[in-house]
């Protein structure tokens, strides 16, 4: 039976992996995140499974290579934490490109509704027998302009939901969807016209700090920002100062620039050292969730099912539909350069 090192394991990860495994793999469940210090814990395994905040850099890849670990299955869609150049021809990287775009899009809408209608405040107030409505005024979403950056799987579902509220949707994408009926505008126009901006693009060198001091200046006063994609899309310090000045009306953050140290863990007994995060969460008009967008039963089941299928395909020598390599990521080629050489 193939042995697989499973990094950054949480109890909810095991539910579907154990249920769907059918004795195919022996999982070495590790609570540690994958990094150069923990890579060696996979020694003796045939492959590894990792997640969004693991660090798959050159050192990790070399340790895996030296220990004959040939495959890394990411149990997530994003892959900004993988050094593909270093992995090329050393480690086959697989991922789950789509498991439930609904989960993330619905979470983004949930953050928007919570912030706008102050549900987080109302929840606390009524538990304390405070039935006052002072300070809870929101606005109708109907008729407001929402700017969506990134119109892939999640962005498109988010747009459909927003349309259901009667919102005016505008969008920006490097590669607009053809015949989608989506109203694409330039990034500057999106910044200038949106009452709410929701981020649904990946973190790349082009999108890093797409929300920064300059772009914030182009936005409407009181704009709402929702980020369920990757923390690095927003310059956190610029966000903080725009929240303090009132330029930004509210922020819903499911991801944070330096989340790897904090998110997914119980730090309630520790004093937060990251002052930007502490200041952000102290704002009543900021809602931080801990990279929770994906966390539905349906998504967890799909993640386990597709990750297991990815590993099955790898070990049985089948074409690897969900493999990614740095050449393909940087510049989608006519002829695939995949590490496994098993193009589909
Ligand atoms: P996708 O690949 O289907 O769509 C991404 C879209 O962004 C594509 O249309 C692409 O053309 C566009 N894009 C790429 N570079 C861009 C740029 N420079 N400017 C504007 N648009 C650009 O990805 P999907 O599945 O919709 O996921 C989006 C992001 O959501 C992922 O990259 C990931 O970071 C995040 N995510 C967050 C989760 C959570 O739990 N909070 C769970 C899953 C994904």
């Amino acid at each position: 039976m193939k042995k697989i090192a499973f990094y950054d394991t949480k109890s909810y990860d095991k539910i579907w992996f154990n249920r769907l495994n059918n004795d195919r793999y022996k999982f070495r469940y590790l609570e540690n995140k994958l990094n150069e210090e923990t890579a060696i814990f996979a020694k003796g395994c045939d492959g590894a499974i990792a997640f969004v905040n693991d660090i798959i850099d050159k050192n990790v890849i070399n340790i895996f290579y030296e220990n004959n670990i040939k495959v890394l299955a990411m149990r997530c869609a994003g892959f900004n934490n993988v050094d593909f150049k270093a992995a090329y021809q050393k480690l086959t990287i697989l991922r789950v490109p789509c498991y439930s775009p609904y989960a993330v899009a619905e979470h983004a809408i949930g953050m928007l509704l919570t912030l706008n209608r102050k549900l987080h405040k109302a929840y606390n107030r009524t538990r304390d027998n405070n039935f006052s409505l002072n300070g809870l005024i929101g606005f109708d979403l109907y008729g407001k302009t929402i700017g969506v950056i990134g119109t892939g799987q999640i962005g498109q579902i988010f747009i459909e939901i927003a349309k259901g509220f009667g919102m005016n949707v505008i969008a920006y994408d490097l590669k607009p969807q053809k015949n989608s009926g989506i109203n694409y505008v330039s990034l500057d126009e999106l910044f200038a016209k949106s009452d709410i901006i929701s981020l649904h693009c990946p973190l790349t060198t082009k999108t890093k700090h797409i929300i920064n001091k300059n772009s914030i200046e182009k936005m409407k006063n009181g704009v709402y920002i929702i980020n369920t994609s990757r923390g690095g899309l927003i310059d956190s310090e610029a966000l903080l100062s725009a929240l303090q000045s009132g330029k930004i009306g509210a922020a819903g953050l499911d991801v944070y620039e330096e989340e790897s140290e904090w998110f997914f863990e119980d730090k309630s007994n520790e004093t937060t050292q990251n002052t930007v995060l502490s200041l952000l969460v102290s704002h009543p008009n900021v809602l931080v969730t801990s990279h929770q967008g994906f966390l539905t039963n349906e998504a967890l089941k799909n993640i386990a099912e597709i990750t297991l299928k990815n590993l099955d395909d790898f070990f049985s020598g089948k074409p690897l539909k969900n493999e990614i390599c740095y050449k393909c990521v940087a510049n989608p080629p006519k002829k695939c350069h995949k590490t496994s050489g098993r193009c589909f």
Side-chain angles (χ1 to χ4, degrees):
M1 196 186 296
K2 300 283 184 205
K3 290 188 196 143
I4 305 292
F6 196 112
Y7 282 92
D8 199 7
T9 312
K10 299 285 182 286
S11 55
Y12 48 81
D13 290 315
K14 291 186 198 170
I15 302 169
W16 284 104
F17 274 90
N18 285 346
R19 208 175 282 178
L20 299 175
N21 184 25
N22 290 328
D23 288 334
R24 274 180 285 180
Y25 299 101
K26 188 167 174 44
F27 292 120
R28 185 180 293 172
Y29 284 119
L30 301 161
E31 287 184 11
N32 313 70
K33 287 193 173 55
L34 174 56
N35 55 43
E36 62 177 306
E37 279 158 21
T38 61
I40 197 64
F41 298 168
K43 191 178 172 132
C45 289
D46 303 282
I49 293 178
F51 196 46
V52 289
N53 288 325
D54 293 314
I55 301 168
I56 300 97
D57 60 11
K58 195 175 170 187
N59 295 337
V60 166
I61 288 158
N62 285 336
I63 294 168
F64 277 8
Y65 187 68
E66 284 156 18
N67 285 282
N68 211 24
I69 297 160
K70 297 260 170 60
V71 61
L72 177 73
M74 301 297 294
R75 57 180 195 279
C76 54
F79 45 83
N80 51 288
N81 50 339
V82 180
D83 182 344
F84 284 99
K85 202 167 177 181
Y88 185 55
Q89 293 191 333
K90 282 191 171 170
L91 183 68
T92 297
I93 312 281
L94 308 168
R95 68 165 180 147
V96 183
C98 179
Y99 43 86
S100 175
Y102 305 99
V104 185
E106 289 169 14
H107 190 76
I109 291 286
M111 297 193 99
L112 171 56
L113 287 170
T114 303
L115 286 165
N116 172 28
R117 303 307 300 268
K118 325 280 189 268
L119 302 180
H120 52 310
K121 288 188 176 184
Y123 175 77
N124 283 328
R125 276 190 195 185
T126 53
R127 282 158 66 89
D128 199 26
N129 285 339
N130 175 355
F131 299 101
S132 154
L133 295 181
N134 290 334
L136 300 187
I137 301 173
F139 55 81
D140 288 4
L141 291 181
Y142 177 82
K144 294 294 178 303
T145 297
I146 188 156
V148 177
I149 301 182
T151 57
Q153 298 167 105
I154 297 170
Q156 286 178 58
I157 289 161
F158 183 86
I159 287 172
E160 286 310 306
I161 301 174
K163 282 184 183 165
F165 282 108
M167 302 184 82
N168 168 36
V169 181
I170 55 176
Y172 170 76
D173 196 301
L174 272 189
K175 293 181 190 157
Q177 300 285 333
K178 287 180 190 139
N179 307 319
S180 60
I182 295 172
N183 181 13
Y184 286 102
V185 296
S186 70
L187 199 50
D188 277 353
E189 190 176 341
L190 185 144
F191 289 144
K193 288 191 171 162
S194 300
D195 300 297
I196 300 141
I197 295 174
S198 194
L199 304 176
H200 299 287
C201 58
L203 177 62
T204 64
T205 44
K206 281 204 180 103
T207 59
K208 186 167 165 60
H209 288 181
I210 196 166
I211 305 298
N212 58 39
K213 189 171 179 287
N214 288 338
S215 55
I216 290 170
E217 274 166 16
K218 295 174 188 165
M219 295 175 196
K220 282 188 176 179
N221 290 335
V223 61
Y224 276 37
I225 308 273
I226 307 292
N227 186 9
T228 54
S229 276
R230 284 293 178 266
L233 297 176
I234 299 183
D235 177 342
S236 310
E237 293 196 15
L239 175 71
L240 182 61
S241 90
L243 280 158
Q244 283 164 341
S245 72
K247 175 76 187 179
I248 289 183
L253 310 172
D254 187 46
V255 285
Y256 174 68
E257 259 191 296
E258 291 160 25
E259 69 176 47
S260 59
E261 209 184 317
W262 304 101
F263 282 19
F264 304 119
E265 309 299 335
D266 179 2
K267 301 273 185 183
S268 55
N269 289 321
E270 291 175 30
T271 311
T272 304
Q273 296 299 315
N274 187 321
T275 49
V276 177
L277 179 59
S278 334
L279 287 169
L280 282 170
V281 292
S282 72
H283 282 67
N285 49 350
V286 172
L287 175 63
V288 174
T289 53
S290 184
H291 208 134
Q292 190 187 329
F294 75 100
L295 200 65
T296 66
N297 241 322
E298 291 79 0
L300 289 172
K301 177 173 182 274
N302 289 336
I303 287 170
E305 208 162 61
I306 297 165
T307 305
L308 289 166
K309 169 88 170 66
N310 284 343
L311 289 171
D312 290 348
D313 288 346
F314 177 83
F315 288 117
S316 60
K318 289 192 181 148
L320 298 173
K321 192 172 145 221
N322 295 325
E323 183 186 357
I324 29 179
C325 81
Y326 95 96
K327 286 199 177 178
C328 303
V329 170
N331 187 16
K334 284 189 185 128
K335 187 170 177 297
C336 185
H337 302 280
K338 290 179 178 179
T339 299
S340 66
R342 294 184 224 153
C343 308
F344 52 95

